[in-house]
């Protein structure tokens, strides 16, 4: 088994970018989801409700700021966040640091609702929710439930086959393969049998060890096409048919680092 893709999401809920290598911190990949877009109460402006967030790309600047881009808006250089600390509505975290005012205006224009950009100054302050497999001392950025999400290319191919079979049964046109980016993975692996990852307890990627905290239950974000930002029925319709138990649908596994270090596309993956 090998890593075929690594993805970083500088701001929670925006489009990610592929990288060839990444450093693994206790809270996740370097540069991953240290920023988030919230409303004036500090609650997360969720991608499932605001798919326009997928139009945003963010490049990290050497000084710790960001360069934001989105179709229809001018590019914006955001300096390092040095604003006041404000309340936020993330489990295990009470406060985050405001970005510059121009970033708030930019996201407000993008989404059409009052928005603010915040930065997690110290990700070691946010603990992983025990309800999602977190153990004492384990921490995470603005990613919801674990530092990394691993998906399998083999499982994605099997899901595409199920979707194709369902379309034929209903007399519908072939939908073609779904973009695996709907699942917003941190790492994608290939070289295993479909859904083999369900039974993993520990994973080693290159020289870095992880534990599997839980399987990943899937939400409405997956029905948004990352290219068109339009909603459909897949893959939740098909996952509900083939991968539903405990009242949820499942795809991918959540990982918590046990050791630190660099992972690379092409690294071997072992699991047990």
């Amino acid at each position: 088994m090998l890593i075929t893709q690594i993805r970083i999401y500088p701001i929670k809920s925006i489009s990610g970018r592929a990288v060839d290598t990444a450093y693994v911190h206790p809270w996740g990949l370097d540069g991953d989801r240290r920023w988030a877009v919230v409303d004036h109460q500090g609650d997360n402006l969720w991608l499932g409700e605001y798919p326009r967030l997928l139009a945003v790309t963010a490049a990290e600047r050497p000084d710790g700021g960001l360069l934001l881009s989105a179709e229809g808006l001018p590019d914006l250089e955001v300096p390092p966040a040095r604003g006041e600390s404000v309340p936020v509505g993330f489990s295990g975290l009470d406060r985050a640091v405001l970005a510059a005012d121009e970033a708030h205006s930019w996201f407000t224009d993008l989404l059409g609702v009052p928005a603010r950009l915040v930065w997690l100054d110290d990700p070691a302050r946010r603990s992983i929710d025990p309800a999602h497999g977190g153990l004492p001392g384990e921490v995470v950025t603005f990613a919801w439930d674990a530092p990394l999400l691993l998906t399998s290319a083999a499982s994605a191919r099997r899901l595409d086959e199920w979707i194709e079979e369902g379309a034929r049964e209903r007399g519908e046109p072939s939908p073609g393969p779904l973009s695996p980016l709907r699942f917003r993975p941190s790492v994608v692996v290939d070289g295993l049998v479909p859904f083999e990852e369900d039974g993993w307890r520990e994973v080693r990627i290159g020289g870095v060890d992880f534990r599997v905290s839980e399987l990943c239950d899937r939400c409405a974000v997956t029905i948004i096409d990352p290219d068109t930002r339009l909603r459909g029925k897949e893959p939740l319709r098909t996952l509900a048919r083939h991968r539903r138990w405990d009242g949820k649908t499942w795809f991918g596994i959540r990982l918590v680092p046990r050791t630190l270090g660099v992972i690379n596309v092409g690294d071997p993956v072992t699991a047990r």
Side-chain angles (χ1 to χ4, degrees):
M1 296 184 291
L2 299 174
I3 291 188
T4 59
Q5 191 168 165
I6 303 171
R7 295 192 69 81
I8 302 289
Y9 307 86
I11 304 174
K12 182 175 176 62
S13 292
I14 71 165
S15 61
R17 59 185 177 89
V19 297
D20 293 328
T21 185
Y23 187 83
V24 179
H25 295 279
W27 48 82
L29 301 181
D30 190 49
D32 187 62
R33 285 171 279 204
R34 290 288 296 274
W35 304 76
V37 184
V38 300
D39 62 19
H40 278 276
Q41 286 72 48
D43 292 326
N44 179 55
L45 292 177
W46 182 50
L47 173 56
E49 188 173 357
Y50 298 99
R52 177 88 168 119
L53 286 164
L54 287 172
V56 179
T57 59
E60 297 165 282
R61 303 193 326 177
D63 65 359
L66 296 172
L67 175 62
L68 301 180
S69 300
E71 182 181 353
L73 290 176
D75 290 354
L76 178 68
E77 291 189 2
V78 179
R82 297 193 177 95
E84 64 177 307
S85 177
V86 297
V88 291
F90 289 82
S91 64
L93 182 69
D94 57 350
R95 306 184 75 83
V97 177
L98 284 176
D101 289 345
E102 54 266 33
H104 311 327
S105 298
W106 195 88
F107 276 102
T108 295
D109 291 342
L110 175 85
L111 301 178
V113 297
R116 298 193 291 183
L117 181 65
V118 294
W119 182 62
L120 179 52
D121 54 316
D122 180 7
R125 291 196 296 112
R126 187 184 182 209
S127 59
I128 300 175
D129 189 342
H132 287 281
L135 299 178
E138 292 181 337
V139 293
V140 66
T141 62
F142 282 124
W144 273 123
D145 299 316
L148 280 80
L149 172 66
L150 179 149
T151 63
S152 155
S155 300
R157 289 191 292 269
R158 186 67 186 102
L159 176 59
D160 284 334
E161 292 170 355
W162 284 336
I163 292 172
E164 179 75 21
E165 292 166 4
R168 286 199 301 268
E169 290 172 3
R170 293 185 296 270
E172 298 173 355
S174 170
L178 294 184
S179 169
L181 301 186
R182 290 174 181 256
F183 297 105
R184 300 184 66 76
S186 306
V187 293
V188 180
V189 301
D190 206 354
L192 57 158
V193 300
F195 302 106
E196 175 186 338
E197 66 275 16
D198 286 358
W200 292 353
R201 293 174 297 150
E202 298 179 354
V203 180
R204 184 173 179 85
I205 300 174
V208 183
D209 295 321
F210 303 84
R211 77 172 186 91
V212 179
S213 56
E214 62 177 352
L215 274 65
C216 184
D217 54 307
R218 305 315 312 208
C219 68
V221 165
T222 60
I223 66 173
I224 301 172
D225 186 308
D227 296 318
T228 66
R229 301 189 292 277
L230 298 177
R231 291 182 174 87
K233 295 181 179 180
E234 298 294 358
L236 289 187
R237 174 170 61 180
T238 297
L239 286 174
R241 180 177 180 182
H242 295 276
R243 300 275 303 167
R244 183 178 177 85
W245 59 85
D246 295 336
K248 299 177 181 179
T249 60
W250 306 88
F251 190 92
I253 57 175
R254 294 177 172 132
L255 303 181
V256 179
R258 283 185 162 172
T259 61
L260 311 180
V262 175
I263 60 173
N264 307 278
V265 171
D267 276 352
V269 178
T270 57
R272 65 181 185 90

